[in-house]
Amino acid sequence: MSRTKTSKAWMREHVTDAWVRKAKSDGYRSRAAFKLMQIDERDRILRAGAWVVDLGAAPGGWSQVAADRVGPTGRVVAVDLLEMAPLPGVRFVRGDFGDDGVLAQMESLLEGRRVDLVLSDMAPNLSGIAGVDQARGAYLAELALDFARTHLSSNGVMVVKVFHGEGFDALMREIRAGFRKVAVRKPEASRGRSSETYVVARDPVQNDAPEPSEREV
């Protein structure tokens, strides 16, 4: 099948993208790595010893950055429906984190503890229909929010990709209802034409899971 004009244009943009070239030269798995680095530079979400969950991690750009910054005393647990090649310092679970069996594997790797940071750079497979794609993106953000509510520590942080459009305001109200501090970021590495933004939400208001014992970090 021949490529469409749209796919050819995307490929031209991709191969000439400065962040794509920099990711290759610096040894990162995707240009998305720089989005997380830029968010971290502003919001200081990653620290040595932190426990991190990366939802929808493949191909591993965010996990790669997180593992480097939390160091050997921290832990990064990544999950994705797609396979992801191993990364030093990252424990990977393949599957849907909404599935009980996959969730159990993740919680085993977390040793029953709450985490300091939940990351989600998940995006839907685009249909080209704006309303459908917006709804799919909002659904993924809500899944990440539900996971964060259950698994974040009392002073934890969630970083989640959201898309402007129909349903954006309702999703933001839901996030603000669940966290004491909420900020919206547009990293430099995010394509300007993209409607994506990233929400940095701190300090969950409610968390029904029992608080784990204190750990040294």
Side-chain angles (χ1 to χ4, degrees), residues 131-202:
V132 172
D133 294 337
Q134 177 66 25
R136 289 175 177 174
Y139 174 69
L140 293 176
E142 288 171 356
L143 289 179
L145 176 59
D146 287 344
F147 182 90
R149 283 170 171 158
T150 304
H151 293 86
L152 274 178
S153 63
S154 58
N155 61 347
V157 181
M158 175 187 70
V159 178
V160 60
K161 177 187 287 185
V162 299
F163 294 91
H164 285 278
E166 184 178 352
F168 175 82
D169 291 340
L171 178 60
M172 289 302 301
R173 285 194 295 272
E174 188 175 0
I175 293 173
R176 289 193 173 101
F179 290 83
R180 294 182 177 85
K181 300 176 183 177
V182 177
V184 178
R185 307 296 187 213
K186 179 74 170 178
E188 182 184 353
S190 178
R191 289 188 173 100
R193 62 172 174 76
S194 173
S195 65
E196 70 177 16
T197 54
Y198 292 87
V199 176
V200 180
R202 298 178 181 273

Side-chain angles (χ1 to χ4, degrees), residues 90-120:
V90 178
R91 295 160 172 83
F92 177 68
V93 177
R94 184 176 182 182
D96 182 346
F97 65 88
D99 179 82
D100 289 344
V102 173
L103 183 60
Q105 291 181 62
M106 296 171 64
E107 291 175 339
S108 176
L109 292 173
L110 294 171
E111 300 176 3
R113 301 175 178 180
R114 290 191 195 168
V115 298
D116 302 295
L117 176 63
V118 170
L119 301 172
S120 173

